[in-house]
Every structure is written in C-alpha cells, then in structure tokens.
Amino acid sequence: MAKRASRHQAEVVAVLAGQGPGDELVPAGFRLRPDPGTRTLAGGTVITGGYPIRVLRLSPAGARHVAGWWAGTPVPVNPKARALARRLLDTGIAHPLLENGPAEQAKERPEVTVVVPVRDRHAELARCLAGLTGGGRVIVVDDGSRDPGAIQGVAAAAGASVVRRPVNGGPAAARNTGLAAAATPLVAFLDSDCVPGPGPANWLDALLPHFADPAVGAVAPRIVPHEAGRTWLARYEGASSTLDMGHRASIVRPGSRVPYVPGAALVVRRQAAGTGFAEDMQVGEDVDFVWRLGTSGWRVRYEPAATMGHQHRVRLPEWFGRRKDYGTSAADLELRHPGAVRPLYASAWTAAAWLAAALGHPEAGAVVTGTGTALLARRLAQVTGEAWPRPADSAAWRLAVRQAAGGTLAAARPLGSAISRTWWPVALPAAIAVRRLRLPLAALVLAPPLLDWLDRRPPLDPARYVAARLLDDAGFSVGVWQGCAERRTVRPLLPVLRGRDRHLCRPRLNSAGTMMSSGDRSWTEDRPRASSVESMPPRSTSNTFLTPAEPLAASPHR
C-alpha cells in the first residue's frame, strides 16, 4: 500500500499550479468588512472569529486599524497594516468589501475567456450559451461528442468558437484544452449544465472585483438550482446540493467554512492555473485543483453574492450514482493531500467526553468537558490579559465555555455525519450486536439531517428530507469504501484526533493558509499559545492564537 501511494504521489508532482503571488500584502486602498461571527474584546485589543475560530491579541495600533477598517476606512499603504489585513482575510475574520474597492474604480473590465466543456449535451449547451452573449470570447470544448456537427451548430448560433477533442478525456482534460486556447488574463470555467442569467452581470460582475487583490487566484459563485423542484428529490437537491456552498462568503481551503468549491463555475487567474487540472482524475479534479492553488500560495475565494443556475440531477438512479462517484474521489484526494479528507476531526478532550457518554457514564464526560474548559480559560486569560480563575465572567471564560463546552456539544453533528457518511458499515453491525449502542447511534445519525432541516427549512417535510439525506450519505459512503479498496488505503476511513498545541509546532509554510508575518510585532503581540482543533489540516499560524473550535465539516463533499 505504501509503495502504491508513493508511486501515485510521484505521478501527481507534474500537475502543478502556477507560481504563487509575488506580493502577499493586501493592496493599499482595499476595504474590509468583518465576518458575521467576528467579535472584539478587551477594548478592541482582542479579536476572535474566522473558521476554525482564532483569537488574536492586537497591539493598540493594530486595534485602531481594525476599528477603522470596520468603520469603512481603506487599508493604508503601511506594509505592517497591509500584512495585518492579509492575516484577517486569510483567517476568515474579515472579507473584502467590494463595493468601493480598487476593482470598482478600474477603468477597464478585466478580459475573460469563458470555457465550456461539453460532451453530447446539445440542449443543455444551447441553454448555457444563451446566457453568455456579450460577455467576451466563449470557447466550447467538444470532448469527443458522438455528433460533433450538432455541437458546432449550437456554438456557431451563439457566436462561440469550438475546439474539438477527438477522444473523450473527461472534464479535467477538456478544461485544460480550453485553458490552453485562452489568451486572456482570466479564464472562467463553466459546465454545460449551468444556466447563467442574461449577460454576465449575474455572476462575473460580482466575481471579477476580487482579482484586484493580486494574491487571489480563483473565485467561485454560489451554485443554485435553475428552477424550483417538483419532486421530493428535486426539492431536496435544491436545498442540499453538494454544489451549493452556502450563503456566507469565505476564503476557500481545507479547514475553512468553505473547504472547496466545485469546478462547475469557477473564474481562474491564468497565471495561477499552471498546468491546469489533473487529467487522471475523473471525479474530484476540481477539489484537487483548488487545493493545489492554495498550496502554491494563491488565495481562492467563495462569493455567494454571485449566483449561477444549475440543472441538478433529480432522477434517483443517476443522482445516487453521482453521489457514489463523489465518494470514490476521497481516497485519491487523501493520497494527493494527506490529512485533508478524513471523516472526522476532533480534539482528544471531545473524543474522551463522547466516549464516556457512549459507555454510559455521562457524568464522567461532563467532568472531562469541564476540565478542558477550565484549562482553556486559563490559557486564554494569558491572551486577553485577564486574571484567572476569577472573575468568572471574564472574556477568557466566556470564550472557553463557548469553544470547549459548546464545541463538545456541537461535535454531535460531525460525529453523526461521520457515522452515516463513512462508518455505517461498521456501526450497523455494532448496533445489532450491542443493544445499548442502538439508541445513541440512532440519535447521532438522525441529528445532522434534522438539524439541517431546521437550518434550511426546505420545501420538504422532515421525514422525506431525513430519508433523502441518509440516502445521500449512503451513496457517498459506498463510494468512499470503493475508492479505498481500489487505492488500497484506509486513510479516508480514519478520524484525526488532535492534542494540545500539536500543530503550532509545525514549521511555517508559504501557502494559502499561511499567516504571513512582516517580522515586526507592532500589530500582533506574542502571548502563550492557546490550543486548537481544526476541522481540516492546519496551516502555520505565526503570532496567531487559536481556540478549540470543534469541526463542523465532515468531508470535502458535504
């Protein structure tokens, strides 16, 4: 297995993203807005937010800058202030405010080539191209269609050029063919089953301003159903599609609120794309591409203000088969990005508390959680500059209770998802064999879809929504186990349990998740480190203080 994994990793070395940005600093004149979850404490000198949660101690000068940015003041030319702004963007504590940013002031719109890969779907292609009129050059890549004349006719009617591949190579190869034919600084990849609104204003106009930041390599819109669903499956897919990454803007990387974006609609900086997508991947190639951009130093952003209509699969056989296909990519992605595709990420404290409760000792679990909360409060008090253990209503205690105690309770959701999406072939026999495991396992499996229903309030009753979600999870799980068997690895089946400060000892990396430091500490101050658990593999966090935010993402396909 190790030999096969090594050979596979050697094969993907040649698939590279473009060289990272030369300037890591946020451009002067950029405006920032706080994430809805961001909070300031201790007179503005402590800021908490992002995903997973970070706690940063700011110097008085840094606190003044942040307060000004929240009030609408643009980022100044000071390099240290620009480095601090980058840190806030990279952690998800802040997002770009695009209304009055540098891109809005530009006299010329960035040139974009739209690349639409297609195979045989003539009607879908015609509907897609109808929304692209007046938006610049459009290249249709015919990926070995059985009737190339039909593709040519649809493209010609819409004013698009066609590049034909004589042999079908899959979505990655088709996108790479279009990438090679594009000569513009930006390339927008658009699947043929996407339905853009008339003209580019519904999606490109909300995405292109992000490229005023030279560190941004790609931006993706929100994928929404093209039309309201009529069947129970169509209504479920409209509310819980794996292509829809939600309504909150985010930086994209493993561990963030949005760990990946689909390639169905993606605008990429040509310089960042490098050699493009991995052509040996038939599924998951878009996730791999986005993650490689990040490890090369580029930032990828998700912008839900831009929406793209999509014709979802709503027939049960092909829908279930597609879910299984998504699952098969887990093993390949885990081999290419070690540690990025695991069913569960949890702290040792959380795991111990839930194990005690599952064994029938909830009081022991409460003691474990209480102890972890107290220890975290003591460490956070060194960040906030407060006394410990009193006062009990200090900012350190409030943060500790929210993150450690609240996080332990919230861990039921990802734990239940891990069981239904990966571990049910083991959990089901265990529940049959051990009677007292039946009720807790059933509760854990049902909790995530029920909570999702409460969050989303879809046009579908709870019973059918839960049934559809469990069927969704079952399809994905079948694919995960199939992929593991084909790749001869069990890594996508194994959880990650993290202990105190383990990741803070890692060397600093020059990657998208790196908190770049200018070498001057006048904007953030070093304090004894707080422990952390992330929902995806951590990045280097120089001068950044992290709290135990429990994972909410069970896999890169939910």
Side-chain angles (χ1 to χ4, degrees):
M1 182 174 69
K3 183 177 180 179
R4 178 169 182 146
S6 298
R7 184 174 69 252
H8 176 76
Q9 290 171 347
E11 291 172 352
V12 302
V13 168
V15 185
L16 301 175
Q19 184 177 358
D23 187 0
E24 291 279 351
L25 303 181
V26 169
F30 234 59
R31 297 177 188 269
L32 308 181
R33 61 177 177 88
D35 182 81
T38 296
R39 300 290 183 271
T40 54
L41 307 167
T45 60
V46 174
I47 185 170
T48 176
Y51 190 94
I53 297 292
R54 268 84 164 175
V55 179
L56 278 69
R57 174 79 181 193
L58 302 176
S59 70
R64 288 193 297 271
H65 274 291
V66 171
W69 296 337
W70 289 180
T73 303
V75 175
V77 296
N78 187 311
K80 289 180 288 186
R82 293 166 61 197
L84 174 59
R86 174 64 67 198
R87 180 171 303 184
L88 299 181
L89 290 174
D90 283 349
T91 56
I93 291 175
H95 305 295
L97 184 61
L98 302 176
E99 286 83 353
N100 297 308
E104 290 292 316
Q105 302 169 6
K107 295 181 179 179
E108 295 184 4
R109 176 192 179 96
E111 291 186 284
V112 185
T113 298
V114 180
V115 172
V116 183
V118 66
R119 186 190 186 202
D120 296 326
R121 296 191 291 195
H122 316 133
E124 290 88 343
L125 177 63
R127 180 178 290 185
C128 176
L129 295 181
L132 295 177
T133 57
R137 185 187 182 195
V138 178
I139 299 176
V140 173
V141 179
D142 181 355
D143 192 23
S145 295
R146 289 186 291 268
D147 185 358
I151 297 293
Q152 182 70 50
V154 169
S161 59
V162 176
V163 177
R164 173 164 170 77
R165 291 178 53 85
V167 179
N168 174 253
R175 292 189 187 115
N176 288 346
T177 298
L179 179 66
T184 53
L186 302 179
V187 178
F189 296 104
L190 194 64
D191 283 0
S192 59
D193 51 4
C194 287
V195 187
N202 287 344
W203 63 298
L204 283 181
D205 282 354
L207 299 181
L208 298 184
H210 282 283
F211 291 98
D213 182 351
V216 169
V219 186
R222 183 179 185 181
I223 305 295
V224 298
H226 169 58
E227 51 192 8
R230 298 180 180 178
T231 67
W232 66 273
L233 184 57
R235 291 197 294 271
Y236 169 79
E237 185 69 2
S240 189
S241 170
T242 55
L243 301 178
D244 185 355
M245 308 310 296
H247 67 279
R248 293 179 65 171
S250 177
I251 190 168
V252 180
R253 66 166 182 268
S256 70
R257 185 178 302 279
V258 177
Y260 73 98
V261 287
L266 182 67
V267 183
V268 179
R269 193 185 297 272
R270 183 67 183 81
Q271 177 188 354
T275 54
F277 296 81
E279 298 187 10
D280 59 334
M281 298 182 71
Q282 295 298 308
V283 184
E285 79 293 337
D286 46 1
V287 179
D288 169 70
F289 176 74
V290 167
W291 287 354
R292 283 190 288 108
L293 287 180
T295 56
S296 297
W298 295 99
R299 274 64 172 180
V300 179
R301 297 209 60 89
Y302 171 65
E303 181 50 75
T307 59
M308 173 59 64
H310 185 267
Q311 302 176 68
H312 293 324
R313 289 179 171 87
V314 293
R315 294 182 179 180
L316 184 58
E318 65 175 355
W319 174 84
F320 187 84
R322 193 57 177 171
R323 290 302 190 271
K324 182 179 72 68
D325 291 342
Y326 287 154
T328 60
S329 69
D332 206 353
L333 288 169
E334 174 64 24
L335 291 174
R336 294 167 186 257
H337 307 274
V341 189
R342 299 297 182 90
L344 181 69
Y345 299 81
S347 70
W349 289 99
T350 296
W354 276 97
L355 179 61
L359 294 177
H361 302 287
E363 67 284 351
V367 170
V368 171
T369 301
T371 302
T373 301
L375 292 176
L376 177 60
R378 184 180 67 177
R379 294 167 63 76
L380 286 174
Q382 300 176 59
V383 178
T384 61
E386 297 169 309
W388 186 89
R390 295 177 182 274
D393 63 343
S394 65
W397 272 108
R398 292 198 302 271
L399 283 172
V401 169
R402 185 175 69 177
Q403 298 307 316
T408 297
L409 294 175
R413 197 165 184 170
L415 179 58
S417 292
I419 294 171
S420 63
R421 290 176 66 76
T422 305
W423 295 337
W424 67 265
V426 176
L428 185 59
I432 294 174
V434 184
R435 174 173 291 184
R436 71 177 185 178
L437 290 179
R438 296 173 187 173
L439 182 58
L441 283 176
L444 284 171
V445 168
L446 292 174
L450 284 172
L451 291 173
D452 280 352
W453 185 87
L454 290 172
D455 290 343
R456 303 172 190 267
R457 295 301 176 113
L460 194 65
D461 60 85
R464 285 189 290 181
Y465 184 88
V466 170
R469 169 65 185 272
L470 294 180
L471 189 62
D472 187 338
D473 290 351
F476 182 83
S477 178
V478 170
V480 170
W481 286 80
Q482 177 183 327
C484 288
E486 293 173 350
R487 288 293 183 182
R488 300 181 184 178
T489 179
V490 297
R491 280 161 46 179
L493 307 177
L494 303 178
V496 173
L497 301 181
R498 303 194 191 281
R500 169 179 166 181
D501 283 355
R502 172 184 169 189
H503 66 281
L504 291 178
C505 298
R506 291 188 179 186
R508 191 172 170 204
L509 303 176
N510 182 20
S511 67
T514 300
M515 304 302 106
M516 301 302 293
S517 172
S518 65
D520 187 301
R521 300 179 182 177
S522 59
W523 306 116
T524 58
E525 299 176 349
D526 270 335
R527 300 281 180 175
R529 293 164 172 168
S531 62
S532 170
V533 171
E534 300 192 33
S535 59
M536 286 291 180
R539 302 288 186 179
S540 172
T541 51
S542 173
N543 294 340
T544 304
F545 307 101
L546 312 180
T547 66
E550 296 300 333
L552 297 180
S555 82
H557 290 291
R558 165 54 56 190

